[in-house]
Each structure stands twice: as structure tokens, then as C-alpha cells.
């Protein structure tokens, strides 16, 4: 990778031999919110064994998930989605840093192998419904349409 990172969104672009990695950062050993965050996005080409920098996310975002939406059977229109995670941090009582969690998503268009610009989507759940993103499971549709996205939180499953 051009920029080393952990806790990032990534996905394999179908029929392309490419992998996209977005956001990420590192955690501080004592105060998790005091770690680094990044907005950079990179694409890895398996055939050439090279990383290429792409337009960055609209903001710093770590602890997020990424997945591809679109028809896997063609080279046509696809989208790379990045959901949830955390970015900015704030302090409690002016001392202890805590993460500010995101409840929205950003989407990058992938048209016939050409990478597009990022667009921001509204919240993925209602205010007060969830403070942070739980584990995410993405189930592809057999017909290549929008996949089903589930959030797992202990014994609850949200769709």
C-alpha cells in the first residue's frame, strides 16, 4: 500500500483483478479515539502488483466497511460503498477522547473500469437508533442487483 493502514474499507472489483482500499487508520494503545484516521483511497492491480492513489474520501473515516454494488457478470456500472466507522473525536470532560461515529455512507461510481467521484448519502438508520455500526454482512443478489446489507448486533439483526 502507498499508505499503511488498519481498520479500513476494502472490496474486490469484480472482473477487474483490482482491489480498492479506503480510509482506515491506527489505534492508540490507551485511548482508542486518540489514534490516527485517514481519508486516502487506493486501488491495487493484481496483474501489475502496483497501488494507485484515487480521490480520497470526503472526510477521515476508519473502522468502516466497504462493498461493491452492481452486476458482477459485466464490466458495466458498479459502485464502491463505504459505510459507518468513525472519524473526528471529541473529549469528555475535556480530558478523555471518544470517537464520533458515522451513520451515513459514501459511494464511488465505477463505470466500465473508470473511477468516478464520491457522493454522500444520508444516514443509514434513524437518529438515536444506533450509536455506532455493528458487524456488517453483505449478501450478493444472484441477478446482480443491489445486495442485502445486514447489521449484526449481539443477538439482533438489522436490515
Amino acid at each position: 500500500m502507498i499508505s499503511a493502514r488498519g481498520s479500513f474499507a476494502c472490496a474486490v472489483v469484480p472482473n477487474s483483478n483490482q482491489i480498492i482500499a479506503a480510509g482506515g487508520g491506527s489505534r492508540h494503545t490507551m485511548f482508542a479515539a486518540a489514534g490516527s484516521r485517514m481519508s486516502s483511497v487506493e486501488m491495487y492491480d493484481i496483474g501489475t502488483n502496483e497501488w494507485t492513489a484515487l480521490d480520497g474520501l470526503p472526510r477521515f473515516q476508519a473502522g468502516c466497511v466497504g462493498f461493491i454494488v452492481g452486476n458482477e457478470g459485466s464490466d458495466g456500472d458498479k459502485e464502491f460503498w463505504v459505510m459507518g466507522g468513525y472519524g473526528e473525536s471529541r473529549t469528555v470532560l475535556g480530558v478523555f477522547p471518544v470517537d464520533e461515529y458515522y451513520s451515513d455512507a459514501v459511494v464511488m461510481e465505477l463505470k466500465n473500469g473508470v473511477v468516478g467521484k464520491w457522493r454522500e448519502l444520508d444516514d443509514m438508520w434513524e437518529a438515536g437508533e444506533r450509536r455506532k455500526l455493528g458487524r456488517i454482512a453483505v449478501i450478493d443478489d444472484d441477478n446482480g442487483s443491489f445486495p442485502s446489507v445486514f447489521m449484526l448486533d449481539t443477538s439482533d439483526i438489522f436490515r
Side-chain angles (χ1 to χ4, degrees):
M1 287 184 160
I2 298 169
S3 301
R5 66 188 78 208
S7 300
F8 56 93
C10 68
V12 174
V13 181
N15 305 319
S16 72
N17 290 327
Q18 296 173 323
I19 300 169
I20 299 176
S26 65
R27 287 292 204 182
H28 186 274
T29 55
M30 184 176 289
F31 299 109
S36 68
R37 285 118 171 106
M38 57 188 359
S39 61
S40 66
V41 179
E42 302 172 14
M43 183 177 284
Y44 178 68
D45 186 305
I46 296 167
T48 63
N49 192 28
E50 292 181 357
W51 287 94
T52 304
L54 304 176
D55 285 345
L57 293 165
R59 62 178 178 224
F60 296 120
Q61 198 160 353
C64 44
V65 297
F67 56 93
I68 299 290
V69 173
N71 191 345
E72 291 192 28
S74 72
D75 291 329
D77 299 350
K78 295 176 186 65
E79 294 175 330
F80 175 54
W81 284 56
V82 177
M83 286 178 59
Y86 50 89
E88 301 297 323
S89 63
R90 59 183 171 82
T91 57
V92 174
L93 302 172
V95 178
F96 301 104
V98 295
D99 291 319
E100 288 290 336
Y101 290 94
Y102 298 138
S103 60
D104 59 356
V106 292
V107 178
M108 182 174 60
E109 195 171 38
L110 305 169
K111 270 192 170 183
N112 297 317
V114 177
V115 176
K117 300 287 183 193
W118 289 99
R119 76 178 189 278
E120 297 182 52
L121 302 180
D122 290 331
D123 289 345
M124 303 309 287
W125 54 88
E126 299 297 321
E129 190 175 27
R130 295 280 305 150
R131 187 175 83 79
K132 65 181 184 177
L133 192 68
R135 305 258 188 242
I136 295 293
V138 179
I139 311 297
D140 286 331
D141 181 85
D142 288 338
N143 299 322
S145 64
F146 197 86
S148 296
V149 180
F150 300 92
M151 182 172 57
L152 313 173
D153 185 16
T154 57
S155 61
D156 296 322
I157 299 174
F158 301 94
R159 183 173 183 179

